[in-house]
Amino acid sequence: MLAENLKRLRTARGWSQEYLAHEAGLHRTFVAHVERGMRNISLDNIERLADALDVTPGSLLTPS
Amino acid sequence: MLAENLKRLRTARGWSQEYLAHEAGLHRTFVAHVERGMRNISLDNIERLADALDVTPGSLLTPS
């Protein structure tokens, strides 16, 4: 869920993983791992990614 | 957000923190801390709590 939403929202904005990571104050490899479902991400980081993408945290965990 | 939603959903079911923790396979003090916003909870545990309450993970992070 989160992985798919993150990739969809990021690519819809034409952003690289690096750009999203920079906007969210995270490391590029961390974003890459989240998009591959390889991370048990924390709420704080879900909120950081949501803020960077200007969406709600809940929407990142909701089927699109 | 999560703290308020968790408490509201739990009490609406007449559940104690201990009962919710048991249903979610978590420790009671962990649930107590999440309800006081004292935990940077992981996605896995958000999903456990959502499953126990029979709600979607996204709804736990969405204003009610």
Side-chain angles (χ1 to χ4, degrees), chain B residues 4-7 12 14 19 23 25-27 29 32 37 40 50 52 61-63:
Chain B
E4 297 79 9
N5 284 337
L6 200 60
K7 189 164 192 173
Y19 187 81
E23 288 295 299
L26 298 167
H27 200 275
T29 51
N40 183 19
L61 302 188
T62 303

Side-chain angles (χ1 to χ4, degrees), chain A residues 1-13 20 35 53 55 57-64:
Chain A
M1 183 86 59
L2 171 63
E4 296 79 10
N5 284 336
L6 200 61
K7 189 164 192 174
R8 176 177 49 78
L9 290 163
R10 174 177 64 78
T11 52
R13 287 157 178 74
L20 172 57
E35 286 196 1
L53 292 161
V55 297
S59 67
L60 282 182
L61 302 186
T62 303
S64 61

Side-chain angles (χ1 to χ4, degrees), chain A residues 2 40-44 58 61-62, chain B residues 2 40-44 58 61-62:
Chain A
L2 171 63
N40 182 19
I41 186 173
S42 72
L43 180 56
D44 283 355
L61 302 186
T62 303
Chain B
L2 172 63
N40 183 19
I41 186 173
S42 72
L43 180 56
D44 284 355
L61 302 188
T62 303

Side-chain angles (χ1 to χ4, degrees), chain B residues 1 3 5 7-8 11-15 19-20 26 33-34 38 42 45-48 50-51 57-58 62-64:
Chain B
M1 183 87 58
N5 284 337
K7 189 164 192 173
R8 175 178 50 78
T11 51
R13 286 156 178 73
W15 291 3
Y19 187 81
L20 172 57
L26 298 167
H33 288 169
V34 173
M38 291 166 59
S42 72
N45 286 334
I46 291 171
E47 288 170 345
R48 281 174 175 232
D51 288 348
T62 303
S64 62

